Each structure stands twice: as C-alpha cells, then as structure tokens.
Amino acid sequence: TFEHALKWLADNEDYHPDAIIYFTDGYAEVPYTPSRYPILWVISEEGIPDDDKRWQTLPGRKLRITSS
C-alpha cells in the first residue's frame, strides 16, 4: 500500500526527504496519513484513468508515463 511509507515518515521525524515519488499503476488504496513532504505520483500508461476517483484523491501532483 501507499500508506506504509507515509506512516513511516510521520513516525521518523529525523528523516527529511526533499520529496516522495511513487512509481505505480495507482491501483492501491489512497493513503490517509497526511504527508509533510511533496508527493509526485508517476502513473503507468495502463494505470488508473484520469477520471478515476483514486486519481482525483491522490495527494500531490500526478504524472502519467506514456510510450508515445
């Protein structure tokens, strides 16, 4: 799930990344832990469509990779 990394970062205040980047198809549960860092979601070409509710609720910026 996407939740584990965000929860770990929330619990480990000594670690300070510049950002969090998820490379994914997006077909997992949307995380509920708020992030203290910017998030970029890199969604595969076959991943969730732009009009999917999950796409709309993923926190941060989203980018789709396409082969063309």
Side-chain angles (χ1 to χ4, degrees):
T1 77
F2 304 131
E3 182 62 26
H4 295 294
L6 295 179
K7 178 79 171 106
W8 186 88
L9 286 169
D11 293 342
N12 291 279
E13 295 183 9
D14 293 336
Y15 188 73
H16 302 285
D18 292 328
I20 301 164
I21 302 173
Y22 282 102
F23 290 85
T24 179
D25 62 5
Y27 287 107
E29 198 171 312
V30 174
Y32 52 86
T33 298
S35 177
R36 296 181 294 159
Y37 308 101
I39 301 175
L40 173 63
W41 300 90
V42 181
I43 308 292
S44 64
E45 188 170 20
E46 298 81 23
I48 57 174
D50 300 2
D51 60 354
D52 188 289
K53 182 180 179 184
R54 286 170 290 204
W55 177 282
Q56 304 299 325
T57 57
L58 286 172
R61 295 180 181 245
K62 290 155 289 271
L63 172 72
R64 179 171 311 281
I65 293 179
T66 59
S67 59
S68 53

